[in-house]
Amino acid sequence: MFVNFIKITKESVFLDPRNNFESQTVTIEIRRDPLTERVSRIFPFRKLVLHRHDWTPFVEESKQKFCPFCPEVVEKVTPKFIEAIAPDGRIKVGDAMAIPNLNPYEKHASVVIMSPRHYIPMDEINVQTMVDSFRAGLTYLQRVTAADPAEGSYPSINWNYMPYAGGSIIHPHLQVLTGPEPTTFNRQLINASTEYFMRCNQNYWTDLIYAEIDRGERYIGKTGDVHWISAFAPRHVGEVIGILPGKQTIDDITDQDLVDLAGGLQKIIHYYDRNNLPSFNAALYFARREDRGFTVHVRIVGRFTIFPLVGSDITHMQVLHDDPWTVILPELIAQELKDVFNSPQ
Ligand SMILES: [Zn+2]
């Protein structure tokens, strides 16, 4: 076992105006991701209490405006794929539908409209919607990869739920894309996984699962074959990683995997909702068959705003220094989610 959990604890001292300028010591923690060694800062060792955010006014306003994804207009106003990708123009799975992205940022970029419903509150996001949407995204990626292997090398499936997470349209949708090179972070994951495999002759992701089970601090549980872990060095608040051992490419993902994946995501999304995290980003990462040591996994992070109405949870640290931070201890999230995963629903 070669997984190292490195953390440095520091104490910051100041004279506290809230206590007659007496000396006050605050503890901060700097952690390094066991695979990529990327830094993450853990701010205070307490649970952040967030205000409940009500999306109703935004949702009502959006209903008054034009929504291209609503069933009355979607077939008329959204683009169609070329025939080589989809003879019918669009890829439909259950209620989900993949269409070309009208504002692509890769040669091959799709949007999956997840449901005919204009707005799905977090506590109503269900397994079937996610399974159908992921399958629509995967089908698109498989067709693109078959038609254009070089450009289809590095796919990902991504979800920005609501405006705090960058979702510009309220109607639930996924961002699906693939390119000849991985995204910057996916490249780090793939390269570091290969290096780990070459150095240790082991798969990092399998080692991580066993290391976290052994420690018991951040291991949350299983849904089918998917293992869920609260990230040791989170990229953002509430980061949870779902790992699918033995899976490496988009072709490895079975329908049962999607059910297992969606089952875990649903529990996490509902947990975020109960804890007033009103928005989230999620991403499914894949590699090529020849990228040794990599394992397919999903990451989900909560998004919020510091103030009830306006603001952002992204600061100079993420944007200009590439150092993410969190205000919720990963071990606390694991503890609470463990109860959620263990309780029958
Ligand atoms: Zn809509």
Side-chain angles (χ1 to χ4, degrees), residues 71 82 128 157 163 167 196 205 210 295 318:
I82 57 172
Q128 193 63 51
I157 295 180
Y196 187 95
W205 302 93
Y210 285 120
T295 296
Q318 293 100 333

Side-chain angles (χ1 to χ4, degrees), residues 173-187:
H173 59 285
L174 302 177
Q175 302 269 346
V176 183
L177 64 151
T178 185
E181 293 184 23
T183 59
T184 303
F185 182 58
N186 204 16
R187 184 195 298 280

Side-chain angles (χ1 to χ4, degrees), residues 18-294:
R18 297 163 298 184
N19 189 24
N20 206 23
F21 293 98
E22 292 293 317
S23 179
Q24 168 77 8
T25 303
V26 177
T27 307
I28 53 161
E29 204 173 285
I30 297 172
R31 299 185 178 191
R32 287 190 176 273
D33 181 84
L35 180 65
T36 64
E37 298 185 356
R38 283 175 60 103
V39 162
S40 178
R41 293 166 197 268
I42 317 290
F43 281 3
F45 295 133
R46 60 180 169 77
K47 188 174 178 183
L48 180 74
V49 178
L50 293 164
H51 296 277
R52 183 111 194 125
H53 183 82
D54 180 13
W55 287 117
T56 308
F58 292 90
V59 173
E60 289 309 312
E61 192 187 330
S62 73
K63 282 179 183 168
Q64 306 306 316
K65 295 178 181 169
F66 176 72
C67 173
F69 296 166
C70 270
E72 309 82 67
V73 296
V74 67
E75 302 273 355
K76 291 194 189 96
V77 302
T78 58
K80 291 182 180 181
F81 290 116
I82 57 172
E83 200 171 337
I85 304 300
D88 298 334
R90 301 181 177 98
I91 298 168
K92 296 178 183 176
V93 179
D95 282 342
M97 181 164 71
I99 60 170
N101 191 332
L102 208 51
N103 301 297
Y105 43 97
E106 255 299 357
K107 180 179 172 186
H108 298 298
S110 166
V111 167
V112 174
I113 303 165
M114 300 179 73
S115 162
R117 290 180 67 187
H118 179 68
Y119 169 60
I120 305 181
M122 283 170 83
D123 63 348
E124 293 177 29
I125 293 174
N126 65 46
V127 169
Q128 193 63 51
T129 298
M130 285 187 272
V131 167
D132 290 345
S133 302
F134 292 149
R135 180 49 71 197
L138 285 169
T139 302
Y140 164 73
L141 291 170
Q142 284 169 320
R143 291 185 189 177
V144 165
T145 306
D148 191 358
E151 289 283 338
S153 296
Y154 292 100
S156 67
I157 295 180
N158 309 277
W159 190 356
N160 306 320
Y161 178 83
M162 299 301 275
Y164 290 160
S168 57
I169 294 176
I170 282 183
H171 201 122
H173 59 285
L174 302 177
Q175 302 269 346
V176 183
L177 64 151
T178 185
E181 293 184 23
T183 59
T184 303
F185 182 58
N186 204 16
R187 184 195 298 280
Q188 289 174 5
L189 292 172
I190 291 168
N191 289 348
S193 297
T194 303
E195 281 166 23
Y196 187 95
F197 183 78
M198 302 303 279
R199 190 173 74 246
C200 309
N201 205 26
Q202 302 275 359
N203 179 296
Y204 165 79
W205 302 93
T206 307
D207 279 3
L208 176 68
I209 291 166
Y210 285 120
E212 291 290 24
I213 289 174
D214 194 40
R215 286 173 168 250
E217 294 173 290
R218 287 169 299 273
Y219 186 82
I220 293 165
K222 276 180 88 181
T223 50
D225 289 337
V226 183
H227 292 263
W228 299 90
I229 292 166
S230 179
F232 172 73
R235 294 184 61 78
H236 203 58
V237 171
E239 185 187 1
V240 178
I241 308 173
I243 305 168
L244 289 81
K247 312 286 177 173
Q248 185 153 317
T249 76
I250 50 171
D251 296 324
D252 296 338
I253 308 300
T254 65
D255 288 342
Q256 186 58 47
D257 290 332
L258 294 182
V259 171
D260 298 341
L261 200 61
L265 285 174
Q266 185 191 43
K267 290 176 195 292
I268 295 160
I269 291 165
H270 291 185
Y271 167 79
Y272 283 171
D273 181 50
R274 287 195 297 278
N275 286 277
N276 297 345
L277 280 166
S279 205
F280 61 85
N281 298 109
L284 258 164
Y285 301 87
F286 306 93
R288 301 173 305 169
R289 183 71 61 208
E290 56 265 45
D291 292 316
R292 302 177 77 187
F294 188 84

